[in-house]
Amino acid sequence: MNLAELNKVALAMVTPGKGILAADESTGTIKKRFDAIKVESTEDNRRDYREMLFRATDAMSKYISGVILYDETIWQNAKDGTPLIKLIEQSGVIPGIKVDEGTQALPACPGELVTVGLDKLAERLKKYYERGARFAKWRAVIDIGRSTDGREIPTMTAIRVNAHALARYAALCQAAQIVPIVEPEVLMDGDHDIERCYDVTQRVLNQTFRELRTQRVELEGMVLKPNMAVAGKKSPRPASVEEVAEKTVRLLKSCVPAAVPGIAFLSGGQSDEEATAHLNAMNRLGPLPWRLTFSYGRALQAAPQKAWSGKADNVAAGQRAFAHRARMNGLASKGEWAAELEKKAA
Ligand code: 13P
């Protein structure tokens, strides 16, 4: 393992002014997104849609540091035969790959999940590296609420098992000269308040870093992708932008060692503008021990998906919508975003 090289890639992934495009929806998830815009989820449509994003060259080169791909996409060619991964590289953007294989029910923990995909991971990482991937992603999912038999979740069992798998994955990535994005996502579904999200996320992050240390993962060669501290979507007490920013930064300072080069948040179902406003407010609270940026899926893609709606005539409009969100989040990664900038562009 060449740690200096891993650290260089990790720092490039969190370059100020840039962030990560999470375009790694599994076939099931992209179908859900396409259903919402009434587009059939065929291999060609998925290719056309992602090609549209990757060919938004100006936005890609200015505001995007890395793209997380799904297995299908990393092997796919653009309509003219150019590998999609080449389009990404041509904009100076680093290609990455989602390597987890989704979730399964966790035995003896009703309603809780464990992320799977460690078997044969070393061999798969080797192939992805040869294809050009320089970072990877593994997402663990922790739900807050009640289990199917009425008990409070998450259990410490689910937190431990998922943290263990995240660290196993991260260690394998580094051995394969690939920077791991470590993503323990505490979901924002439910009616819990921001304090409950804070407490659960703190337990999850502490356990994750304990496992990373135990399994000798080099913190300088990874990127953390956490949720923010937010109230549940159905909470009667939604938190303000300032409260989310203040609590999230306090939480991260208490759990994330300064050796980690950067933190790239998931959007997790926040609205586009909320995700941008939260990131911006956090970066205004600096100086911080690590760089804070975005690794958004929905908050970067909802607008371009709607503008595109599966029609070749709408490609330019889709690219404009993507470029706008990428620019707004790029500004937020430096604490330079303001709500007026949204209106000006609209
Ligand atoms: P969202 O920003 O839509 O939460 O997606 C990010 C991601 O990669 C989830 O794993």
Side-chain angles (χ1 to χ4, degrees):
M1 184 222 302
N2 178 341
L3 182 56
E5 198 49 45
L6 285 174
N7 179 248
K8 214 166 106 190
V9 173
L11 283 169
M13 289 161 65
V14 292
T15 303
K18 294 187 181 186
I20 298 165
L21 165 63
D24 60 323
E25 299 85 359
S26 62
T27 310
T29 303
I30 197 77
K31 183 179 178 313
K32 269 196 254 164
R33 308 276 182 263
F34 278 15
D35 284 350
I37 53 169
K38 300 197 171 56
V39 175
E40 199 190 340
S41 184
T42 62
E43 200 174 322
D44 278 357
N45 284 344
R46 295 193 289 269
R47 188 270 319 275
D48 289 350
Y49 168 65
R50 286 166 172 150
E51 180 173 351
M52 169 183 86
L53 298 179
F54 306 157
R55 282 197 192 274
T57 317
D58 192 55
M60 288 280 286
S61 58
K62 284 190 187 145
Y63 312 117
I64 302 296
S65 57
V67 177
I68 318 175
L69 300 167
Y70 184 59
D71 180 74
E72 174 182 271
T73 320
I74 202 168
W75 306 110
Q76 233 171 6
N77 292 337
K79 222 173 200 157
D80 69 1
T82 315
L84 288 176
I85 194 169
K86 285 277 167 293
L87 296 183
I88 293 166
E89 289 167 348
Q90 279 162 13
S91 295
V93 176
I94 311 167
I97 180 77
K98 169 198 179 79
V99 299
D100 69 67
E101 294 178 327
T103 53
Q104 285 179 3
L106 182 61
C109 293
E112 294 190 282
L113 300 169
V114 59
T115 302
V116 297
L118 290 168
D119 293 348
K120 308 225 169 68
L121 181 56
E123 291 90 323
R124 287 165 57 218
L125 288 169
K126 198 160 171 273
K127 290 200 190 100
Y128 288 139
Y129 184 91
E130 281 161 14
R131 182 73 175 170
R134 290 296 174 266
F135 71 92
K137 172 190 127 170
W138 177 289
R139 172 175 174 257
V141 192
I142 302 292
D143 203 0
I144 298 180
R146 299 242 160 230
S147 66
T148 40
D149 64 355
R151 273 179 280 197
E152 267 204 349
I153 56 168
T155 58
M156 233 13 244
T157 310
I159 293 176
R160 284 219 175 100
V161 168
N162 276 292
H164 183 267
L166 271 169
R168 288 267 286 126
Y169 139 84
L172 286 165
C173 282
Q174 291 190 337
Q177 204 52 41
I178 286 182
V179 172
I181 292 186
V182 173
E183 181 180 3
E185 175 174 7
V186 177
L187 297 177
M188 62 183 289
D189 302 335
D191 60 3
H192 54 274
D193 57 17
I194 188 169
E195 279 79 20
R196 176 106 171 98
C197 176
Y198 187 105
D199 290 345
V200 171
T201 307
Q202 189 169 43
R203 269 196 282 154
V204 168
L205 289 176
N206 284 338
Q207 188 61 31
T208 301
F209 280 98
R210 193 171 299 142
E211 279 294 342
L212 290 168
R213 270 196 303 275
T214 303
Q215 299 190 41
R216 305 184 181 187
V217 173
E218 299 283 3
L219 301 184
E220 292 88 345
M222 65 163 270
V223 169
L224 180 70
K225 177 164 172 168
N227 53 285
M228 299 176 195
V230 289
K233 267 186 226 159
K234 288 185 242 142
S235 169
R237 292 202 308 116
S240 66
V241 170
E242 290 68 33
E243 190 179 5
V244 168
E246 183 269 319
K247 288 215 160 75
T248 304
V249 165
R250 185 150 59 89
L251 170 62
L252 294 172
K253 277 185 177 168
S254 77
C255 304
V256 184
V260 172
I263 296 174
F265 292 100
L266 58 95
S267 61
Q270 300 176 34
S271 75
D272 297 358
E273 222 174 301
E274 267 169 3
T276 307
H278 289 154
L279 177 63
N280 187 64
M282 283 188 259
N283 276 309
R284 293 241 173 125
L285 296 175
L288 301 167
W290 357 250
R291 296 180 187 168
L292 288 191
T293 190
F294 59 93
S295 175
Y296 293 162
R298 282 163 284 181
L300 273 174
Q301 296 187 64
Q305 276 162 10
K306 210 162 152 223
W308 172 64
S309 288
K311 299 195 177 67
D313 286 351
N314 292 339
V315 163
Q319 288 176 327
R320 271 198 306 277
F322 170 57
H324 175 63
R325 288 267 44 92
R327 189 167 81 86
M328 294 296 107
N329 287 307
L331 288 168
S333 77
K334 298 187 284 183
E336 292 172 5
W337 174 84
E340 300 83 73
L341 297 169
E342 298 280 351
K343 292 186 195 90
K344 241 186 258 169

